[in-house]
């Protein structure tokens, strides 16, 4: 059965990106993947399809020089956006509307693997409201931003399943109990 998983990082005060949509605060953190409770390579091996919001897509496209002008995900990627995408990469499909309208398509693309909701917080919450978010895995950086893009775009009840350390990051894995009304 396909799981929907939101793996992300946040500042201590709950922001995915600063007010300029920068991740410099995250990229400057020391990490030790050998300490991680969910090593990235192991996680990605379990992912059959990737879901992204438009802001996350634009950020990745704006930073392609770090990956030699190649799209960074090998899996089929679905970008939720009402606007056309400015770049045309193989394996990327623009979709619009509620996640539930695309469930069958996402699960077909994922095959017997999981769907990774890369970002952002509003998109992850819309998946939760549709009953399509099973897990939140968050790395918490020891920095505060004061403002920016919030970790989650709404209210959720979560259950802590596991926690650990990855260099300077605190990691926490949560099961999603449901949207809080």
């Amino acid at each position: 059965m396909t799981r929907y998983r939101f793996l992300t990082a946040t500042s201590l005060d709950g922001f995915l990106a600063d007010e300029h949509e920068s991740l410099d605060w995250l990229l400057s953190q020391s990490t030790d993947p050998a300490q991680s409770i969910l090593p990235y390579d192991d996680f990605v091996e379990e992912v059959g399809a990737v879901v992204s919001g438009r802001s996350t897509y634009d950020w990745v496209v704006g930073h392609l020089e770090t990956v030699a002008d190649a799209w960074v995900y090998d899996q089929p990627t679905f970008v939720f956006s009402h606007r056309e995408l400015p770049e045309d990469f193989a394996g990327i499909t623009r979709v619009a509307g509620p996640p539930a309208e695309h469930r069958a398509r996402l699960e077909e693309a994922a095959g017997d693997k999981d769907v990774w909701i890369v970002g952002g917080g509003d998109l992850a919450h819309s998946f939760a409201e549709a009953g399509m978010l099973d897990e939140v895995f968050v790395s918490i950086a020891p920095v505060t931003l004061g403002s920016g893009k919030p970790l989650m775009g709404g209210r959720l009840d979560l259950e802590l399943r596991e926690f650990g350390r990855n260099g300077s990051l605190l990691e926490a894995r949560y099961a999603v109990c449901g949207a809080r009304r």
Side-chain angles (χ1 to χ4, degrees):
M1 184 168 144
T2 301
R3 293 180 298 173
Y4 289 83
R5 302 166 79 186
F6 182 40
L7 179 136
T8 192
T10 183
S11 63
L12 185 60
D13 56 348
F15 296 103
L16 298 173
D18 70 16
E19 69 275 10
H20 306 292
E21 298 189 9
S22 173
L23 297 179
D24 290 344
W25 60 272
L26 174 62
L27 301 175
S28 65
Q29 300 301 314
S30 65
T31 60
D32 182 356
Q35 289 182 324
S36 179
I37 61 173
L38 183 60
Y40 179 80
D41 291 342
D42 294 349
F43 172 78
V44 168
E45 187 64 33
E46 298 173 348
V47 172
V50 174
V51 171
S52 171
R54 180 59 186 268
S55 294
T56 300
Y57 170 83
D58 287 342
W59 189 90
V60 171
V61 168
H63 292 83
L64 288 177
E65 70 278 359
T66 62
V67 289
D69 293 322
W71 183 248
V72 296
Y73 306 109
D74 294 327
Q75 301 88 343
T77 301
F78 297 84
V79 178
F80 277 74
S81 178
H82 294 286
R83 297 175 286 138
E84 293 297 322
L85 302 178
E87 302 287 338
D88 185 25
F89 295 101
I92 296 181
T93 304
R94 182 186 64 86
V95 294
E101 290 180 7
H102 304 285
R103 184 176 202 142
R105 189 175 187 189
L106 295 172
E107 291 179 7
E108 180 181 336
D112 62 351
K113 294 188 174 188
D114 298 334
V115 174
W116 176 15
I117 302 162
V118 174
D122 290 336
L123 182 63
H125 191 263
S126 69
F127 271 77
E129 286 185 318
M132 296 170 63
L133 184 61
D134 301 298
E135 179 179 88
V136 174
F137 185 93
V138 61
S139 295
I140 303 163
V143 61
T144 59
L145 300 176
S147 65
K149 298 271 187 180
L151 169 64
M152 192 61 68
R155 298 163 42 121
L156 285 180
D157 283 327
L158 306 169
E159 179 184 327
L160 181 65
R161 293 289 174 94
E162 189 176 12
F163 62 91
R165 181 179 181 170
N166 178 349
S168 64
L169 303 175
L170 173 64
E171 297 179 327
R173 182 193 310 247
Y174 297 93
V176 175
C177 301
R180 178 176 277 269
R181 304 279 176 215

